[in-house]
Structures are given as structure tokens and as C-alpha cells.
Amino acid sequence: MIQQNKSKKGSWITLICIVAFLAVVFWLDQAIKPTSSMYMLMTVLQKGSVYALAAVSMNLLNGYTGLFSLGHAGFMLIGAYTYAIFTIPEGSRDTVYQYYNAAIRFSFPEVFSKGLGGFGTVLGIAVAVLLAGLLAAGFAYLIGLPVLKLKSDYLAIATLGFAEIIRAIFQWSKLGPITNGSNLLKSFPRTSTFKFELAGEKIKLCTFVPVLIATICIVVIVLIVNSTYGRSFKAIRDDEIAAEAMGINLAKHKMMSFVISSFFAGISGATMAMVLSIAQASNFKSAMTYEILLMVVLGGIGSITGSVIGSLLFVAASEWWLRGLDSGSFLGINAPNLFRNGFRLVVFSVIIMVVVLFFRKGIMGDKELPDLFKKKAKSADKEAAK
């Protein structure tokens, strides 16, 4: 009973932390101007939220179910293109599809806004994001039928091949009327345009929206992990033979984990399109999957909190803190012969090696945020006993 109360207390504290974080992000959206020197923080939060969701969804498959997949970039690509295709305004389609005759001539935000106004626009964007996840999940189901029979490295190679094939197909000129071939998609709703007026004041949601989407999805993943399905996933990861002996349907639960992971990867791809303002297949290379896998390893395989922390640190280091290493000046030191293009990657690689050496299980290992509060509670109880 006492343990259960402590668990509930840790969950409540975690929920309060999440709400407080969202409130801070909302405030930062209003307080930090594009001309501010701190505006790079907003970029880190936007991109970090996208990669955090992608890393957590990969961790659900790799860390919690024990299936080594490298096809994440392919599912993110599907999500990004789905969102872009179904939200480009009708009046902009001929400009975007300048080399093709666009096959899809409607936009969800425009369709819903005709009867619902501004709320319809928001609803249309939400439907497009949800559809992005569903299409990615649908492709995952079809791909999973043959490849989930494979194990370990063979599964990784098969899913990596899928990601490369899907990227090539989306750039195929025959599909140009739908995907715009190798040309980029643009002019769809993006985070920089997310704002509304309240009492004469413009309320910006450029960073709040992607962070909110990522937060909601990660909370859903946490609920799945803590459900009976999540326990089945962990049992499969630990010992497939023992899991099957306990009555767990291996094929069903592996497929379920693969589809759910891909669904959230599709949503992260849609959010990435919002943040970057473009969708182009050439951006979703296999290197993106490796980066996401690196975030998972840095944070800790089997830790959702670790995946979030690893993603934010990765984006902050690569996009902000070490940027001066490529521009000739770093920490007040001017050395253009040393700090030049590409040196940032060298230093970043060394930092990653050091972190991996000293944190063999990642920053969080297999621990979550509530576990940190449990440790503090235990130490407080010991002090009180003394």
C-alpha cells in the first residue's frame, strides 16, 4: 500500500513537471523574439521535440520489445509527405506541383474551415497529422508481415532496405502527381504561422504546438508501456521462449509493437514537416535513423525519459552549443584555421564516445523520471529513521 502511494506520488509529480514545462514553453514563445540571441533555444525545442518523439517511438520497438529496426526514417518520410499533401492550399497546388498535374486537389484545413472557421483549420491540421500516423502504421503492417519473421541483424537490414526503397519510390517521377517527384513540397501550414489574436495581442504557438504534439504522443506511449501490452513487449524482449510459454502470442505482439512505433514515427515526420516548412524525400536518409538510434543509446535503451533527454542534448549540442566550431570562433577563442567547417562533427563525435564510455547504459539507463523521485523519497526516509 505504501509502495503504491509512493508510485502515485511520483506520477503526480511527473505530471506537474510536464504541465510546468509546457507553461514555460508557451511563455518562451511570447517572450523570445526572432532577433534575440536566445532564439536558437526555440529551434532546439522545436527540433528536439520532433526527435524526442521519434526516439521514444524507436525505443518502444528496440528497447522495450527487443526488435532491432532501422526503418524509422522511411516511416517519418511517409508521415511528412502525408501531412504536406493533404494540407497544401488548393490555390497553391499548381505552383508547388509546377512540373506535374496534382492528383489531389483538396486540403483538409480548407475543407473543415468552410463550415467551422478557424476551429476547422485547426481540426483539418489535426486530421492530417493523424492520417500521417495511420498511413505510416498501414505501411508498417504490410512490411511487418514478411520481415518480422526475421531476427536481429537480418530484421535491421530488411527494415533499412525498406526505408531506402520508400525514399526512392517517393522520388519516382511516375508518382509525381502525388509526391511531386524529387521536388520539395511547401506552402502547407507550418509552425511559424501558428498564432492567434487575443484581446488585440498576437499569441504565438510556433514552439508550443510541436512540443505539445510530442508530449501528448509520448504520454500515450508511456501508458502503452505500463499496460498489459507493454509488459508483454518486455517479456518478448527478455526471453521469447518463456514469453510464448506464458501464452503470449509472439507474432501478434511483435506486429503490434512495430505498427504502434511506426504510427508515432509518422506523426513525428508530420511534425518535422511543420517545423522545417518543407517535405522532401532526400532529407529522410538512413543517416537520420542512425541519429535517432544514437539518441536512444545516449539516453538509455529502455528509458523513455532517457530518449527525451538524449534527443534534446543531441539537438542542442549539434545545432547550438558547438556551432561556433564551424564558424572560426568558439568560447571567445578566434582560430579560423582550427575552427572551420566540419570541426564541430569531430568534437561532437568525441563527446559521444566519452559519454558512452562513462555511461555504459546511457544517461538514464532503464530508469524513468518517477524513479528519481522514488530515490529521493527513500533517502529522505533513511535520514528520518536516523
Side-chain angles (χ1 to χ4, degrees):
M1 188 68 179
I2 296 173
Q3 187 68 27
Q4 192 176 20
N5 289 335
K6 286 183 178 179
S7 178
K8 286 184 178 179
K9 184 180 178 181
S11 299
W12 275 109
I13 293 174
T14 303
L15 181 60
I16 292 170
C17 290
I18 292 172
V19 173
F21 175 69
L22 289 174
V24 169
V25 171
F26 181 81
W27 175 78
L28 289 173
D29 248 342
Q30 318 314 315
I32 298 181
K33 308 297 180 184
T35 54
S36 172
S37 58
M38 286 295 293
Y39 192 72
M40 200 63 197
L41 173 62
M42 311 309 289
T43 302
V44 169
L45 288 173
Q46 289 175 17
K47 289 188 176 181
S49 62
V50 172
Y51 280 109
L53 176 54
V56 170
S57 62
M58 176 181 277
N59 207 352
L60 175 66
L61 187 64
N62 291 10
Y64 286 93
T65 317
L67 299 176
F68 190 35
S69 169
L70 292 176
H72 233 57
F75 298 117
M76 291 177 69
L77 183 154
I78 293 170
Y81 267 74
T82 302
Y83 171 78
I85 290 169
F86 287 101
T87 56
I88 297 174
E90 187 178 350
S92 302
R93 288 192 179 264
D94 290 333
T95 303
V96 175
Y97 289 85
Q98 54 182 325
Y99 301 109
Y100 303 96
N101 182 23
I104 297 173
R105 308 295 304 185
F106 70 92
S107 164
F108 281 133
E110 287 183 334
V111 170
F112 287 105
S113 65
K114 288 178 181 178
L116 300 172
F119 175 75
T121 302
V122 175
L123 181 60
I125 292 172
V127 169
V129 171
L130 183 61
L131 182 61
L134 290 173
L135 281 181
F139 271 90
Y141 178 79
L142 295 176
I143 296 298
L145 291 174
V147 304
L148 289 181
K149 296 176 183 178
L150 303 173
K151 293 184 179 181
S152 189
D153 298 342
Y154 300 102
L155 175 61
I157 293 170
T159 51
L160 178 62
F162 154 74
E164 291 299 306
I165 291 170
I166 203 71
R167 184 164 63 89
I169 290 175
F170 270 64
Q171 296 180 92
W172 187 29
S173 60
K174 297 292 184 181
L175 286 179
I178 299 175
T179 64
N180 205 22
S182 58
N183 306 298
L184 57 84
L185 294 174
K186 56 183 180 179
S187 300
F188 48 80
R190 53 196 186 279
T191 54
S192 58
T193 62
F194 291 169
K195 60 186 74 172
F196 65 94
E197 282 197 18
L198 181 65
E201 293 288 331
K202 284 188 177 180
I203 307 298
K204 295 183 293 182
L205 301 172
C206 311
T207 308
F208 182 76
V209 169
V211 171
L212 180 63
I213 292 173
T215 301
I216 292 172
C217 292
I218 290 171
V219 168
V220 173
I221 293 174
V222 170
L223 294 176
I224 293 171
V225 167
N226 292 326
S227 68
T228 54
Y229 293 110
R231 288 191 284 273
S232 297
F233 296 158
K234 293 174 187 176
I236 293 172
R237 174 196 64 189
D238 294 337
D239 193 326
E240 286 192 12
I241 297 174
E244 192 171 24
M246 289 189 297
I248 296 174
N249 188 324
L250 297 183
K252 175 187 172 182
H253 284 84
K254 283 183 179 180
M255 178 64 79
M256 189 181 297
S257 176
F258 191 55
V259 168
I260 293 172
S261 172
S262 303
F263 171 80
F264 289 110
I267 290 181
S268 70
T271 313
M272 177 172 283
M274 286 185 199
V275 171
L276 298 181
S277 303
I278 61 168
Q280 190 169 24
S282 59
N283 291 335
F284 296 88
K285 297 179 180 178
S286 55
M288 179 180 288
T289 300
Y290 301 146
E291 287 180 352
I292 297 169
L293 180 60
L294 177 59
M295 296 171 198
V296 173
V297 173
L298 283 176
I301 297 178
S303 171
I304 291 175
T305 306
S307 296
V308 175
I309 293 173
S311 302
L312 290 174
L313 289 177
F314 181 93
V315 174
S318 59
E319 297 282 339
W320 187 15
W321 297 337
L322 302 179
R323 186 169 287 274
L325 293 172
D326 283 354
S327 59
S329 178
F330 183 68
L331 296 177
I333 303 172
N334 292 315
N337 292 328
L338 176 62
F339 302 148
R340 52 186 176 181
N341 192 33
F343 191 67
R344 173 177 50 166
L345 295 177
V346 176
V347 175
F348 189 54
S349 301
V350 173
I351 292 173
I352 291 171
M353 290 173 63
V354 171
V355 171
V356 171
L357 284 173
F358 286 95
F359 296 90
R360 296 293 179 89
K361 293 184 178 181
I363 296 170
M364 291 293 293
D366 58 354
K367 300 292 188 295
E368 299 294 351
L369 188 58
D371 296 329
L372 301 180
F373 297 114
K374 288 178 185 176
K375 284 184 178 180
K376 290 182 179 179
K378 284 181 181 178
S379 60
D381 290 342
K382 288 181 180 178
E383 289 293 330
K386 289 180 181 179

